Amino acid sequence: MPAQDRTGGYDRHAYEPFAVTVDLAVLTVRDGVLHVLLVERGQEPHIGRWALPGGFLLPHESAETAARRELAEETGLADVAGPHLEQLRTYSDPGRDPRMRVVSVAFTALLPDAPEPRGGGDAAQARWLPYGAPGPLAFDHDRILADAHDRVGAQLEYRSVATAFCPPEFTLGELQQVYETVWDTALDRPNFRRKVLATHGFVEPVPGAARLTGGRGKPAALYRAGTATTLHPPLLRPSREGRPA
Amino acid sequence: MPAQDRTGGYDRHAYEPFAVTVDLAVLTVRDGVLHVLLVERGQEPHIGRWALPGGFLLPHESAETAARRELAEETGLADVAGPHLEQLRTYSDPGRDPRMRVVSVAFTALLPDAPEPRGGGDAAQARWLPYGAPGPLAFDHDRILADAHDRVGAQLEYRSVATAFCPPEFTLGELQQVYETVWDTALDRPNFRRKVLATHGFVEPVPGAARLTGGRGKPAALYRAGTATTLHPPLLRPSREGRPA
DNA sequence: CTCTTAATAGTCACTACGACTATAAAGAGG
DNA sequence: CCTCTTTATAGTCGTAGTGACTATTAAGAG
């Protein structure tokens, strides 16, 4: 492919081809612990290390399409309706892959509790591992994962993404556990309940349904995700006092 | 460059090389009107249309480096300390450029009022134009620009980015005009003042300095940007009531 | 001087929120 | 069956934050 020189807009320089990939930070909450979908590398570099799932863009794919395809291949279950998938940012440092120049578009995906992935015919099997558990990840994936965690934590405040971690019908206790797990904070239950119910469109009750939370305690009412995507008023994290930056 | 087949992590498929560019949504507030830095296309496709400035990544550049270089080339003044520059998202739809496959990493840049750009030796001269004025932009740049506007509007609520639109020393009236311009809403002046001053680290007073706002009225006190990057409490947009989504 | 303009000070009612206490409804263990 | 534990849900109270105001101050214009 010949280098081009074009003027006006973004086409001023001769261009260099790059490899473009997607990387996926797939998160779920299992028993109050944040888990990440990871694959073990079978090749150099970083052989034996854990890495985020991902892969190259096919010639006619957008990054979003490629991310959804990779997610389906990796978990074998993402095809149905598709989980919450959102572009995080793009990582393009030269040297982030020692072999060659790779520009990677990272995504976050949020799934309800942990269906164990069945490898979709690929050699490398994906597994759920607790966030932060498996030492340093390959490439710059620690950075990507930390950015994903930050982003999701921030979005819980003003977006209704927490329901993406929950099954179609869920209790307010389960929803609260999502917040507590991602934020790593304990929340007051009556206050959490009051705020969630006061936020229009966040959740809507399932009439007459209740679930036993595992046996013990009073059965909880069930709710479905509402139609709102932004929360008004926002559900702010507790006590950032004294943390100016 | 040979196609590769690697397993584990994001290296499962043979890869296709792509052209990678950066696009810049450079915003400023001039006389209460949001302005965008645009260049006129001198070639097909979209000849004569306005487009966002941008260009190809050089072989050893990250997207951030390329964005800063393009901004400096385009305005001729971004080299000093560098303006607020932030990655927006990556646009990768096949067909977004009719000539070939181009993946573009978009950035937003915020500048204080409008130093008229001096073209840095390039043929296409960049110009400030009012947001929304110059009809449809080339490629998918309308979408990118709208996304940038949305993002900046949202960030004004909980980040201290508004000061990036202001000169090093500014009045609260100027800061308020940034909010009013980006949000396209009128704000109550005493209430705005109260909230800004109550938010720790947002602004700090310049002792004993005052500026005449152009002649008329009581002279306003001057402030500098504070050290905080996030606003506590946030400065929420007025009245989203009745707008559930 | 007076009028206009803009900055700044202050008031008041209402909402939202953190920290509580209280009650209800289930299972567990005797 | 009764009590203890567990979890969900209801409600209270003081305080902080906010929208809608009114009032005052300090400048230039005429």
Side-chain angles (χ1 to χ4, degrees):
Chain A
M1 212 181 311
Q4 303 194 1
D5 185 73
R6 311 174 289 171
T7 57
Y10 57 79
D11 30 21
R12 202 170 324 293
H13 302 278
Y15 78 90
E16 176 96 352
F18 295 89
V20 178
T21 63
V22 294
D23 282 318
L24 297 171
V26 190
L27 303 176
T28 197
V29 172
R30 178 191 270 183
D31 297 327
V33 178
L34 189 63
H35 281 70
V36 191
L37 193 69
L38 294 174
V39 296
E40 194 172 4
R41 286 189 54 78
Q43 289 205 358
E44 289 295 350
H46 305 303
I47 188 169
R49 298 259 280 269
W50 294 95
L52 300 178
F56 289 102
L57 258 70
L58 299 181
H60 301 298
E61 277 180 332
S62 70
E64 284 71 18
T65 307
R68 205 162 283 284
R69 172 180 53 76
E70 289 286 345
L71 184 56
E73 288 179 13
E74 222 75 56
T75 68
L77 40 81
D79 13 49
V80 254
H84 184 274
L85 194 67
E86 188 180 313
Q87 201 184 115
L88 177 62
R89 52 160 291 180
T90 293
Y91 298 82
S92 59
D93 276 1
R96 58 179 295 277
D97 186 316
R99 293 160 300 184
M100 61 194 221
R101 200 59 210 284
V102 178
V103 171
S104 184
V105 186
F107 288 79
T108 58
L110 311 182
L111 291 180
D113 181 16
E116 201 59 40
R118 51 169 183 83
D122 266 335
Q125 181 79 352
R127 286 186 49 198
W128 292 110
L129 291 178
Y131 181 87
L137 302 181
F139 305 109
D140 54 358
H141 290 188
D142 278 313
R143 167 92 190 287
I144 298 176
L145 185 55
D147 287 348
H149 186 212
D150 285 354
R151 172 82 75 94
V152 171
Q155 289 196 343
L156 289 184
E157 293 194 326
Y158 56 96
R159 295 277 203 88
S160 60
V161 294
T163 54
F165 284 104
C166 296
E169 300 191 340
F170 52 88
T171 69
L172 294 188
E174 291 166 346
L175 189 67
Q176 180 174 350
Q177 201 177 49
V178 170
Y179 277 88
E180 293 182 327
T181 301
V182 177
W183 286 348
D184 195 24
T185 334
L187 299 176
D188 179 83
R189 205 186 310 244
N191 289 342
F192 179 82
R193 171 189 191 77
R194 190 213 310 165
K195 289 165 77 164
V196 168
L197 296 180
T199 302
H200 293 102
F202 192 6
V203 299
E204 50 189 30
V206 178
R211 180 195 296 168
L212 309 179
T213 334
R216 305 276 266 259
K218 178 174 173 175
L222 286 178
Y223 294 84
R224 265 191 290 268
T227 57
T229 82
T230 50
L231 304 183
H232 298 283
L235 221 155
L236 300 176
R237 281 164 150 109
S239 182
R240 303 234 203 145
E241 313 300 325
R243 185 142 63 95
Chain B
M1 212 180 311
Q4 304 193 1
D5 186 73
R6 311 174 289 169
T7 57
Y10 57 79
D11 30 22
R12 203 171 324 291
H13 302 278
Y15 78 90
E16 177 95 353
F18 295 90
V20 178
T21 63
V22 295
D23 282 318
L24 297 171
V26 189
L27 303 176
T28 196
V29 173
R30 179 192 268 183
D31 297 327
V33 178
L34 189 64
H35 281 70
V36 191
L37 192 69
L38 294 174
V39 296
E40 196 173 3
R41 287 190 53 79
Q43 289 205 358
E44 289 294 350
H46 305 304
I47 188 169
R49 299 259 280 272
W50 294 95
L52 299 178
F56 289 103
L57 258 69
L58 299 181
H60 300 299
E61 277 180 331
S62 69
E64 284 72 18
T65 306
R68 204 163 283 282
R69 172 179 55 74
E70 290 287 344
L71 183 57
E73 287 179 14
E74 222 76 57
T75 68
L77 42 79
D79 13 50
V80 254
H84 185 275
L85 193 67
E86 188 179 314
Q87 201 183 115
L88 177 62
R89 52 159 293 182
T90 294
Y91 298 82
S92 60
D93 277 1
R96 58 180 295 276
D97 186 317
R99 293 160 299 185
M100 61 190 204
R101 201 60 212 283
V102 179
V103 171
S104 183
V105 186
F107 288 79
T108 59
L110 311 182
L111 290 180
D113 180 18
E116 201 59 41
R118 50 167 184 84
D122 267 335
Q125 182 78 352
R127 286 186 48 199
W128 291 111
L129 290 179
Y131 181 87
L137 303 181
F139 306 108
D140 54 357
H141 291 188
D142 277 313
R143 167 93 191 288
I144 298 176
L145 186 54
D147 287 349
H149 186 211
D150 284 354
R151 171 83 75 96
V152 172
Q155 289 197 343
L156 288 184
E157 293 194 326
Y158 56 96
R159 293 276 203 90
S160 60
V161 294
T163 54
F165 284 104
C166 296
E169 300 191 341
F170 52 88
T171 69
L172 294 188
E174 291 167 345
L175 189 67
Q176 181 175 349
Q177 203 177 46
V178 169
Y179 277 88
E180 292 182 328
T181 302
V182 176
W183 286 349
D184 194 25
T185 333
L187 300 176
D188 179 83
R189 205 187 310 245
N191 289 343
F192 179 82
R193 171 189 192 76
R194 191 213 308 163
K195 288 164 79 164
V196 168
L197 295 180
T199 301
H200 293 102
F202 191 6
V203 299
E204 51 189 31
V206 179
R211 180 195 296 168
L212 310 178
T213 334
R216 305 274 267 259
K218 178 174 173 175
L222 286 179
Y223 294 83
R224 264 192 289 267
T227 57
T229 83
T230 50
L231 304 183
H232 298 285
L235 221 154
L236 299 178
R237 282 161 149 109
S239 182
R240 303 234 202 146
E241 313 300 326
R243 184 143 61 96

